[in-house]
Amino acid sequence: MTAPITPKVIVQAENFDVSLEERELREGRLDVGAVLSFTGICRDEGGLLEALELEHYPGMAEAELTRIAVEACKRWPLTGLTVIHRFGKIKSGENIVLVVAASAHRRAAFNAADFLMDFLKTRAPFWKKEHFKQDGEGSWVAAKEKDDEDAARWN
Amino acid sequence: MTAPITPKVIVQAENFDVSLEERELREGRLDVGAVLSFTGICRDEGGLLEALELEHYPGMAEAELTRIAVEACKRWPLTGLTVIHRFGKIKSGENIVLVVAASAHRRAAFNAADFLMDFLKTRAPFWKKEHFKQDGEGSWVAAKEKDDEDAARWN
Amino acid sequence: MSTIKVRYFAWLRERTGTAEEAIELPDNVNTPAALMEWLKQRDEAYAYAFEETDAIRTAIDHEHVEHDHPLTGAREIAFFPPMTGG
Amino acid sequence: MSTIKVRYFAWLRERTGTAEEAIELPDNVNTPAALMEWLKQRDEAYAYAFEETDAIRTAIDHEHVEHDHPLTGAREIAFFPPMTGG
């Protein structure tokens, strides 16, 4: 078995380009049999939500995402792994988070991306505040117990 | 619960554009919180493989992919589902299959795409023949027991 | 007696040397299993193609069926190896 | 006595009215739990922010820790609600 690869982890305010990130993990190599991209998007909650304000802990956000991504690279034989998480004001319909996992085989790509999203939700230091269309600034989104259960699946 | 959506299923010789298909499932709507794209790619098997020749059963390929996709739309609350499978000669590094699943929530998108790939592998009438760089036309790829086991997870 | 279109894919197509053909079904050939036995009697190529029927999948009118499924009303039957798409 | 940088995020930042501050740690304040109890004594804003310490997560030098983790050698401690990214 080859050594785990080093994931690419970025925390940024700007949007990302899914196809650009996919291309980066495929270009110039012929050992990639599976590429999985997961994009998390801000919903408008039935027309109520204007935007989410994503607060993060600079420094720790990168460090924690990297720890989770490195763990994924140890658990599954990936050929590439990219994680991009945005912060700041994100309007409904806009991208929040991207995970791209590449591997020789599909199961590794699925498991790694699934694992990454579960742990990212419960461990990466980001907090969402809702901005409603009618009432302006709303409240902080509460963490879901379901997210903890999802993360516990991987123990 | 809203009625299941109608999936888009295409069997074609031409390549597909992942970002185009993703855009189609997102455009003009704000209820999509998760978009998952899975791309299956032809590997070169350590430099040995030139291409795969994908034979298919026209008519049944579309019908069977549609049956699997419709079942996925019944099982999970998807907002969109696209399946494209190519046939003909596919060189190493080129795309073979695409599944894009969109949903309000990430678990539905992950499960639907995972389910689809498992069933597609064991039920969609496609057969791969290997073309090697050195020895020219090779043999038919054998079905893997592991694929049947993967598909059995969903019973 | 009824006529059925028979299709062969992948190595079944190569071994039989046939992609598709129309066959007049004898009355006692009323399942895919019976049709495979009947085809095996034709010549060496068919005998070779159908030597391991356990490894062969079959579809009637574009739907997977078991080997003991009735052929009644079938317009098209296909024989092929286990699928390897995706 | 040692100085530690304390950071607050999300509703903890809003309730304390502070994003970050430097605090001289009294000798007996040697865990996140003890520091939270100490902060609660400061004023009503802090008392409100830390009224339910079970709901508060903490990190030392950018790593998640339990409330009873020693503060020895810590340069930065952060208090925040359960994460809701992704």
Side-chain angles (χ1 to χ4, degrees), chain A residues 55 57 67 123 127 129, chain D residues 13-14 62 64 76 81:
Chain A
E55 183 168 334
Y57 183 173
R67 279 190 284 268
R123 297 190 61 88
W127 302 273
K129 187 171 206 172
Chain D
R13 175 179 51 70
E14 290 179 342
H62 295 173
H64 292 292
E76 179 170 312

Side-chain angles (χ1 to χ4, degrees), chain B residues 120-139:
Chain B
L120 183 155
K121 287 224 165 219
T122 56
R123 295 190 62 88
F126 290 86
W127 302 273
K128 290 186 184 123
K129 187 170 207 173
E130 296 168 319
H131 290 261
F132 294 107
K133 285 183 188 164
Q134 295 300 324
D135 317 305
E137 195 169 313
S139 54

Side-chain angles (χ1 to χ4, degrees), chain B residues 8-58:
Chain B
K8 170 180 168 181
V9 174
I10 299 177
V11 175
Q12 64 184 25
E14 303 76 45
N15 194 16
F16 46 77
D17 180 335
V18 183
S19 57
L20 195 79
E21 300 303 328
E22 284 205 358
R23 202 179 319 141
E24 198 174 291
L25 295 192
R26 292 178 59 166
E27 217 156 45
R29 55 193 304 167
L30 298 170
D31 56 344
V32 180
V35 173
L36 189 154
S37 298
F38 176 83
T39 309
I41 301 159
C42 177
R43 282 174 287 127
D44 75 346
E45 306 294 355
L48 299 174
L49 197 80
E50 170 84 32
L52 288 172
E53 179 80 31
L54 265 124
E55 183 169 336
H56 78 301
Y57 183 174

